[in-house]
Amino acid sequence: RNHPSVLAWSLGSSQSALSCLEPCADWIKSADPSRLLFWPAAPMDPRADVVALRNPSIDDIQEALRQDPPNRPILFAEYA
């Protein structure tokens, strides 16, 4: 039997209007704190549990490695 699973919530990918997604991030964190949130359009936002970098350059990766807190996993999204 198949059981669908939600492992993480992805809050948008290429949106540039981040202000409209900020309330969504707050709602997701309060409504479902058991799952990870990743947010490729705002990868360094402290509400994100995973740093999701889209097509990162070496500089982007180095910045993510210097992040505070440094304990979030880094995911390369749309990397080619």
Side-chain angles (χ1 to χ4, degrees):
R1 188 189 287 194
N2 292 331
H3 297 281
S5 299
V6 176
L7 303 176
W9 295 111
S10 174
L11 189 57
S13 176
S14 301
Q15 290 73 18
S16 60
L18 298 177
S19 62
C20 67
L21 294 177
E22 290 174 351
C24 296
D26 294 333
W27 182 86
I28 288 169
K29 296 303 286 180
S30 65
D32 191 1
S34 68
R35 291 180 178 86
L36 299 173
L37 170 66
F38 67 97
W39 193 353
M44 303 308 284
D45 190 286
R47 289 169 285 208
D49 299 302
V50 176
V51 176
L53 301 174
R54 287 188 321 237
N55 300 311
S57 66
I58 297 297
D59 290 337
D60 295 334
I61 296 167
Q62 289 174 335
E63 179 185 346
L65 291 171
R66 288 190 297 268
Q67 71 178 325
D68 183 29
N71 58 351
R72 293 188 293 174
I74 298 172
L75 171 73
F76 296 164
E78 301 176 14
Y79 190 75

